[in-house]
Amino acid sequence: MGRHVSHEHLVAGLASALRAGALTADAVALEARKAAEADEVAAPVVPAEPERTNVTSLTERRLAQLPPDTRPLPSVAAYDQLLRVRQSADRPAIQGEMP
């Protein structure tokens, strides 16, 4: 909890939880977050200037640097053979017919 909440808010959360008689980590975390939210409401909110960064799409970058793909599209025709083998294996045998 100390990694995510300031020390002052954590101490306030501990104190509030002890006063309430709640001795669990969840209660301390809840009270610490309440203290942090109360400080945020009291402090004036100054809109910060957004950082200007160049975000480049990885796909666009790859497409710009790679040569065009001239390979043929893959075929699934070989899998049709598997379907025919399975259909004949699933068919019930008729009397007098050789498998």
Side-chain angles (χ1 to χ4, degrees), residues 4-95:
H4 305 287
V5 177
S6 70
H7 177 75
E8 295 81 20
H9 297 140
L10 187 56
V11 170
L14 282 166
S16 295
L18 283 174
R19 279 193 303 272
L23 303 176
T24 64
D26 291 336
V28 173
L30 178 68
E31 294 298 327
R33 288 187 186 114
K34 282 183 183 178
E37 287 176 6
D39 276 357
E40 289 175 3
V41 171
V45 178
V46 179
E49 282 291 319
E51 290 185 28
R52 300 196 183 266
T53 59
N54 279 340
V55 178
T56 304
S57 167
L58 186 57
T59 304
E60 289 177 12
R61 183 175 174 196
R62 285 181 180 159
L63 292 175
Q65 294 177 353
L66 294 176
D69 189 7
T70 57
R71 296 177 295 176
L73 291 175
S75 173
V76 293
Y79 292 104
D80 290 340
Q81 295 173 359
L82 296 173
L83 292 173
R84 278 184 256 148
V85 169
R86 180 169 181 186
Q87 287 172 354
S88 63
D90 288 343
R91 191 179 62 158
I94 301 174
Q95 279 185 340

